[in-house]
């Protein structure tokens, strides 16, 4: 990179607002302002790396999957929406032949799929995201939609991958207020919505 481009990049990085993504998020913890170059010589150690879309799961040290809400986004979602109106869509699949990894979320895990629609998770609906069809059966969702397609919805799976696909599917279907909460492996978020 030429020295003039490098200077320009440094100036832009120094004056960029905190919400601007300046480097790949998988390398930067959510609240960091300075990160090492990680083998990229064009980034100086003094260049800020800001992470907005993929922070680290609180307490685990593991990066969140792309699209999973940050702690701040989850707080803002709850501040803007009543927990009595929020609907939680569990995109995990109870057919373990299709999704073998979902078998680990049994009753002993503290995040059972069978709890959807019970007293443990009264505003939760299990609507598995079908990877092959790239769709979801939303039939069980209808009774929970207090504001129609404007009802606040949190999608999740185990860690957020299918939760993000479910979010994208719902938005394509016209839903307007959807957040990917990740899932039980994103403990900070799960503590907020896992009992809804």
């Amino acid at each position: 990179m030429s020295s003039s481009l490098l200077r320009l990049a440094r100036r832009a990085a120094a004056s960029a607002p905190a919400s601007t993504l300046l480097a790949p998020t998988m390398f930067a913890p959510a609240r960091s302002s300075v990160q090492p170059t990680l083998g990229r010589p064009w980034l100086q150690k003094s260049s800020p790396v800001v992470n907005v879309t993929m922070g680290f799961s609180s307490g685990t040290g593991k990066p969140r999957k792309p699209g999973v809400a940050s702690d701040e986004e989850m707080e803002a979602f709850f501040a803007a929406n009543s927990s009595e109106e929020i609907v939680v869509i569990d995109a995990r699949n109870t057919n373990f032949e299709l999704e073998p990894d979902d078998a680990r979320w049994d009753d002993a895990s503290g995040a059972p799929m069978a709890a959807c629609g019970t007293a443990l998770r009264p505003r939760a609906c299990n609507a598995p995201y079908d990877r092959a069809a790239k769709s979801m059966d939303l039939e069980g969702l209808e009774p929970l939609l207090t504001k129609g397609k404007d009802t606040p919805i949190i999608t999740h799976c185990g860690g957020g991958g299918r939760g993000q696909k479910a979010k994208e599917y719902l938005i394509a279907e016209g839903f307007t207020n959807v957040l990917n909460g990740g899932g039980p492996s994103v403990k900070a978020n799960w503590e907020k919505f896992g009992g809804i």
Side-chain angles (χ1 to χ4, degrees), residues 4 68 100 103 118 131 192:
S4 60
V68 173
T118 69
R131 294 181 203 251
K192 291 179 180 65

Side-chain angles (χ1 to χ4, degrees), residues 62-196:
K62 294 180 181 177
R64 293 181 183 178
K65 291 185 177 178
V68 173
S70 67
D71 295 349
E72 293 79 14
E73 289 167 325
M74 186 62 70
E75 290 292 331
F77 190 82
F78 272 90
N81 301 290
S82 163
S83 61
E84 289 82 33
E85 294 175 334
I86 295 173
V87 173
V88 176
I89 296 181
D90 187 340
R92 296 176 294 177
N93 199 324
T94 56
N95 182 342
F96 303 143
E97 289 180 17
L98 291 176
E99 295 286 352
D101 285 347
D102 285 345
R104 69 184 172 130
W105 304 110
D106 63 3
D107 291 341
S109 72
M113 290 175 270
C116 291
T118 69
L120 294 174
R121 300 184 70 197
R123 301 214 25 94
C125 172
N126 182 243
Y129 180 79
D130 184 331
R131 294 181 203 251
K134 297 183 179 176
S135 68
M136 302 171 70
D137 179 2
L138 302 177
E139 188 175 314
L141 181 63
E142 189 66 35
L144 299 172
L145 300 177
T146 58
K147 294 182 174 181
K149 291 193 174 186
D150 294 326
T151 301
I153 297 173
I154 297 174
T155 62
H156 80 86
C157 55
R162 276 173 291 151
Q164 182 62 22
K165 297 289 186 188
K167 174 187 171 183
E168 292 167 3
Y169 178 80
L170 290 169
I171 290 170
E173 292 294 311
F175 290 87
T176 62
N177 192 6
V178 185
L179 183 77
N180 177 7
S185 65
V186 184
K187 294 186 186 315
N189 285 355
W190 184 254
E191 288 171 1
K192 291 179 180 65
F193 75 83
I196 293 179

